[in-house]
Amino acid sequence: MRHFLSLQDLSISELNYLLGEAARMKAELRQGKRPALLSGRVLGLVFEKPSLRTRGSFEASMIQLGGGAMFFGPSDGKMGVREPVADFARTLSGYCDAVALRVFRHSTLEEFAQHATIPVINALSDRAHPCQALGDLLTIQETFGKLEGKTLVFVGDGNNVAMSVALGCGMAGMRFILAAPKGYHFDEAFLSHYRQVAPSGELLMNGRPEHAVGEADVIYTDVWTSMGQEEETEQRRKEFAAFQVNAALLEKAPKHAKVMHCLPAIRGEEVDENAIDGNRSIVFQQAENRMHAQKALLKWLMLR
Ligand code: CP
Ligand code: NVA
């Protein structure tokens, strides 16, 4: 049995296998084929925070694969409040074939995984969003035909999404540049983790988006204030003001560079309409690919 709490839970060859399977399953779906590979199987979804894409793509994945999903939202699932995390894990292990958790603290996922007897998937924590990175790599591969040698510039907060995308880039042979304000770069714990997972990966940190995007194939951004950080919103608006992905910034990037965003986006903050709704944006291809990537992941985790 395997868990997927971080991209580091996969070897590079397993990552490549999943990306290949996701592309194959996407093409198969385009031909109208929906093989019931997970017939009768159940995915549990326990979410402490809101979601559109992650919940929607997991539920759609299970329906397309002939199985089903059970959703527990914040009002059902206060893990550690109504009952201990361990009891949650042991109970759901009796009903489900895998469970995906969206949590405030990454440690909740680790505790759950210790007590579960089924695969546990990280559907977003404060430290990682590996399902997002999996879908994003699929999107970049589709767009450029390959990953190796490409450069992704992440403009904004060195947050959960940025950390997972950086790890994914490192594992796939892509260069990752973080353009963040002072105080919002990756911490030492993440950097040493990155060096272990991708010893020959190229990761740079740069405070000037207009310099960083000069070599970008992909310009990626995410909200300035993540779920759980709401009390810092005003402070972050000030500190990130010069870190918007907008028409002026795109002018400084190569013509072929694409815009990515994990969504949800706040137009007028981290991104403007020109960038996110313009012809260089691939954000809805990216949103759709969450599902194709997760179908490959679910099949791999549930059928081993
Ligand atoms: N990108 C992403 O995870 O979106 P949701 O928060 O809507 O699931
Ligand atoms: N960094 C954002 C991503 C949402 C998908 C958050 O954690 O709220």
Side-chain angles (χ1 to χ4, degrees), residues 49-50 53-54 102 123-126 128-129 132 154 157 159-162 222-230 261-264 290:
K49 303 174 182 177
R53 278 145 292 272
T54 307
R102 170 165 284 201
L124 182 146
S125 71
D126 56 342
H129 196 3
Q132 180 69 50
F154 192 104
D157 189 15
N159 63 14
N160 46 6
V161 170
D222 182 16
V223 288
W224 293 338
T225 303
S226 285
M227 292 180 278
Q229 300 173 330
E230 288 76 8
H261 191 309
C262 57
L263 302 177
R290 293 289 307 279

Side-chain angles (χ1 to χ4, degrees), residues 118-278:
I118 54 176
V120 178
I121 300 168
N122 182 353
L124 182 146
S125 71
D126 56 342
R127 297 294 293 176
H129 196 3
C131 294
Q132 180 69 50
L134 211 53
D136 294 344
L137 291 176
L138 176 64
T139 307
I140 297 166
Q141 185 151 286
E142 276 178 352
T143 304
F144 295 103
K146 64 173 194 160
L147 297 170
E148 203 172 354
K150 299 292 169 196
T151 296
L152 185 147
V153 177
F154 192 104
V155 179
D157 189 15
N159 63 14
N160 46 6
V161 170
M163 288 190 273
S164 287
V165 172
L167 272 188
C169 287
M171 289 172 75
M174 286 179 61
R175 192 150 70 114
F176 182 97
I177 304 175
L178 175 65
K182 208 161 165 272
Y184 295 95
H185 284 273
F186 294 140
D187 58 23
E188 206 29 68
F190 174 75
L191 291 174
S192 71
H193 178 63
Y194 174 91
R195 283 191 285 268
Q196 270 172 7
V197 175
S200 54
E202 247 194 287
L203 188 156
L204 306 169
M205 294 199 276
N206 183 328
R208 304 285 296 272
E210 61 279 18
H211 292 168
V213 299
E215 295 170 63
D217 296 297
V218 173
I219 301 167
Y220 197 127
T221 190
D222 182 16
V223 288
W224 293 338
T225 303
S226 285
M227 292 180 278
Q229 300 173 330
E230 288 76 8
E231 73 284 359
E232 299 172 21
T233 303
E234 280 314 316
Q235 184 60 24
R236 284 169 174 265
R237 276 193 186 124
K238 286 185 208 135
E239 294 187 286
F240 282 92
F243 289 77
Q244 187 186 68
V245 175
N246 54 29
L249 188 66
L250 293 188
E251 283 286 305
K252 311 253 192 272
K255 292 263 176 299
H256 71 270
K258 302 290 186 201
V259 173
M260 294 181 74
H261 191 309
C262 57
L263 302 177
I266 305 181
R267 288 165 175 78
E269 290 204 2
E270 77 279 2
V271 74
D272 78 349
E273 287 178 7
N274 292 305
I276 197 162
D277 300 317

